[in-house]
């Protein structure tokens, strides 16, 4: 019985800490984050260069605080025989929605979309700039099991 009590206590400490957290606070800066989307495919001969370019963000000092890189493997090349194990129809749908919303001129791989706009200059050496657009401050407070979200626009 004593062993069960010790085990339960240990499990509560290890896994229950977040359940019993009193409060958490998160707050953004005033500036829009820079979201970089790569649409790629494992069988695409031009995609490794884009994959390498995107992976360089892993060393960026503002990773996930001001810059958010994401890779989406599309499935529209699966018909040619190569099956990309990371491809998903939802990613293809997301890329096609960008096209329907006139954010991009066409759908292809590799394709970079930065803050909802097509970026064809990614292949050429140029400094990656973070968004300079002031949008407002987002704050989230988590108290017990409730989240309180506030947005104060600029």
């Amino acid at each position: 019985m004593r062993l069960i009590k010790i085990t339960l206590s240990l499990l509560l400490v290890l896994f229950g800490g977040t359940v019993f957290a009193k409060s958490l606070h998160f707050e953004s800066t005033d500036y829009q984050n820079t979201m970089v989307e790569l649409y790629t495919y494992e069988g695409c001969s031009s995609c490794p260069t884009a994959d390498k370019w995107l992976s360089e963000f892993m060393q960026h000092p503002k990773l996930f605080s001001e810059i958010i890189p994401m890779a989406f493997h599309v499935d529209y090349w699966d018909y040619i025989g190569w099956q990309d194990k990371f491809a998903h129809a939802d990613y293809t749908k997301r890329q096609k929605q960008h096209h329907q919303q006139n954010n991009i001129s066409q759908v292809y791989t590799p394709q970079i979309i930065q803050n909802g706009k097509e970026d064809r200059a990614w292949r050429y050496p140029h400094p990656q700039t973070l968004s300079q657009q002031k949008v407002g401050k987002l704050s989230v407070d988590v108290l017990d099991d409730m989240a309180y979200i506030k947005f104060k626009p600029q």
Side-chain angles (χ1 to χ4, degrees):
M1 189 66 161
R2 181 168 166 78
L3 183 59
I4 292 173
K5 286 182 181 178
I6 292 171
T7 304
L8 286 174
S9 297
L10 184 60
L11 287 173
L12 283 172
V13 169
L14 292 174
F15 299 107
T18 57
V19 174
F20 300 110
K22 293 289 183 203
S23 67
L24 295 171
H25 177 77
F26 304 96
E27 191 169 278
S28 73
T29 66
D30 289 326
Y31 295 92
Q32 174 186 14
N33 287 351
T34 300
M35 187 163 69
V36 179
E37 301 171 59
L38 166 62
Y39 291 89
T40 187
Y41 188 77
E42 276 195 327
C44 163
S45 62
S46 304
C47 291
T49 305
D51 291 332
K52 182 180 182 302
W53 177 84
L54 188 74
S55 71
E56 291 172 4
F57 285 109
M58 295 302 292
Q59 305 306 316
H60 198 287
K62 304 285 184 170
L63 180 66
F64 300 123
S65 64
E66 294 181 32
I67 190 157
I68 304 164
M70 297 181 287
F72 297 104
H73 287 245
V74 296
D75 68 347
Y76 51 81
W77 293 117
D78 281 353
Y79 78 94
I80 60 175
W82 177 271
Q83 298 290 310
D84 183 339
K85 63 185 173 192
F86 302 109
H88 198 280
D90 287 342
Y91 304 153
T92 298
K93 182 179 176 184
R94 181 182 178 94
Q95 186 183 27
K96 288 181 177 179
Q97 283 175 336
H98 277 296
H99 185 256
Q100 291 166 349
Q101 295 167 349
N102 293 319
N103 296 338
I104 58 176
S105 60
Q106 59 190 23
V107 170
Y108 58 91
T109 57
Q111 185 171 45
I112 302 290
I113 300 174
Q114 183 171 297
N115 288 342
K117 301 292 178 201
E118 189 169 19
D119 179 3
R120 291 181 181 238
W122 69 269
R123 296 175 188 261
Y124 309 106
H126 70 285
Q128 181 65 40
T129 58
L130 299 175
S131 176
Q132 298 301 310
Q133 181 179 355
K134 274 192 163 186
V135 292
K137 191 169 293 244
L138 176 69
S139 66
V140 178
D141 290 293
V142 180
L143 303 171
D144 295 322
D145 61 348
M146 294 293 294
Y148 301 91
I149 302 169
K150 294 182 236 169
F151 180 70
K152 184 177 179 184
Q154 286 296 320

